[in-house]
Amino acid sequence: MTDTPAVDSETPAAAEGRPATRRKALRILALVVVTIAALWGIWYFLTQAGRVSTDNAYVGADSAAVTALVSGPVKEVRVSGTQAVKKGDVLVILDDADQRIALADAEAALRQARQRYGQASANADAARARVSARGADIAQARARLRDADAAVAKARAELARREGLAGTGAVSGEELTAARTAFASASAARDLAAAAIASAEATRGSASGDLGAAEAVVRGTTIETAPDVAAAQARLEKAQLDLERTIIRAPVAGIVTNRQVQVGQRIAAGAPIMVIVPIATAYVDANYKESQFRKIRIGQPVELTSDYYGGDVVYHGKVIGIAGGTGAAFSLIPAQNATGNWVKVVQRLPVRIALDPKELQAHPLRVGLSMEATIDTRGK
């Protein structure tokens, strides 16, 4: 019995089918790759096109520096660093002994000024009464002058009659002498009455001058608008304000940082004692390259993430401002690009981004934290 040769199990038809199957698989793979690329392109065009990003962004806030407005020793410190405070909360209390003494002195000065004004008003009334009295004296002196004129006229007539009869012997020398004496006496009384009028008028003039001086102090004013009273009132209000300022309150709500005050320390007016960071109104300053600004506009929406919370927390904000110059332009020593060893450096321009207050309240940030900001330049 002879051995028969082994027959190859792979037929020619199967051998020819392998390349066709490989080509079909490659076509399917190419189709899948093209589909994935097309889908990625559509996704990028719909979601990523027109978006500019930077990780050179940091949280900022308009911090409030708390300063003492009056000097004095520190009596009590009610807050510590990192403590959250509300607007109006008491931060520091100063010893107010000096301010209370100044307030009492200002109150006494105001009472004294009011008293002086009352005296000046009374003096004006008294001067006015004296002027009226001198007017009455003048009227009385003029009446006496009229009586004296009448007496002079009568004495002159008696003297003339007796002098006319003296040559006839009907009038004795004694009667004639008496008539002449009466006339001289009446003339003297008239001169005295005229002098009394002049004296009364002079006295009234002096009284009028005193009245003018007294009225000048109170003319056109009341006890509230008199200069001395108003100045004393202003000093009193300042003393009251200084007393109120011995209690230092939080100007804004935020977190206390950089506390520099201790109990017993004497602080001067204007000395900074702490800083309050209003984290509820924090913003982000994102520094974009100058080549990214072609489509950046104010009001465009922004998405932000923070290393503090990770990528799971996304903040939403909008562009509210673009700086007027780069950081290099306003640095202490600006770059001198006119030198021969100039090397071009891509500059960055700060963009101010406002955050959603509700998101900021849910996930508070701290000043100086790093952020990643993406502006959708397709937004208006």
Side-chain angles (χ1 to χ4, degrees), residues 74-328:
V74 178
K75 182 179 180 181
E76 184 179 352
V77 180
R78 293 193 176 182
V79 296
S80 60
T82 72
Q83 180 176 338
V85 296
K86 298 178 181 179
K87 182 178 180 180
D89 286 352
V90 177
L91 305 177
V92 177
I93 298 177
L94 303 180
D95 190 332
D96 59 0
D98 293 340
Q99 285 73 21
R100 289 188 180 279
I101 292 174
L103 178 60
D105 184 63
E107 289 175 343
L110 177 60
R111 288 193 294 269
Q112 188 176 21
R114 289 176 177 272
Q115 187 180 41
R116 286 196 300 267
Y117 183 86
Q119 290 175 346
S121 180
N123 290 338
D125 292 340
R128 197 174 294 110
R130 286 194 296 272
V131 170
S132 299
R134 299 295 82 77
D137 291 344
I138 292 173
Q140 188 177 10
R142 287 175 177 170
R144 286 197 295 268
L145 178 60
R146 288 194 294 271
D147 289 342
D149 287 337
V152 168
K154 181 179 179 181
R156 181 184 292 109
E158 291 292 333
L159 177 60
R161 185 170 60 82
R162 283 174 173 72
E163 286 179 342
L165 297 175
T168 63
V171 177
S172 64
E174 183 179 356
E175 289 181 356
L176 183 60
T177 301
R180 288 174 178 171
T181 301
F183 175 72
S185 177
S187 298
R190 183 186 62 182
D191 294 340
L192 185 61
I197 292 175
S199 177
E201 289 177 346
T203 304
R204 186 178 65 174
S206 177
S208 297
D210 293 341
L211 174 61
E215 286 184 337
V217 178
V218 298
R219 183 182 297 116
T221 62
T222 64
I223 194 170
E224 300 299 333
T225 61
D228 290 345
V229 176
Q233 181 67 38
R235 287 193 294 271
L236 175 61
E237 292 175 358
K238 182 181 184 302
Q240 291 173 337
L241 184 60
D242 288 343
L243 179 60
E244 293 174 0
R245 285 174 173 174
T246 57
I247 300 177
I248 303 175
R249 300 180 181 273
V252 295
I255 304 297
V256 176
T257 59
N258 196 26
R259 201 194 80 170
Q260 305 176 29
V261 60
Q262 302 295 335
V263 174
Q265 175 185 355
R266 183 174 182 84
I267 57 179
I273 58 177
M274 66 184 69
V275 175
I276 297 180
V277 181
I279 59 174
T281 58
Y283 52 80
V284 173
D285 283 332
N287 302 295
Y288 281 90
K289 296 178 182 179
E290 53 187 320
S291 58
Q292 295 177 301
F293 273 86
R294 187 168 63 89
K295 294 183 179 181
I296 293 178
R297 301 290 184 272
I298 293 176
Q300 291 173 340
V302 187
E303 291 184 356
L304 307 100
T305 57
S306 170
D307 295 342
Y308 189 69
Y309 293 105
D312 294 336
V313 177
V314 178
Y315 296 89
H316 298 83
K318 66 178 180 178
V319 178
I320 60 172
I322 300 174
T326 65

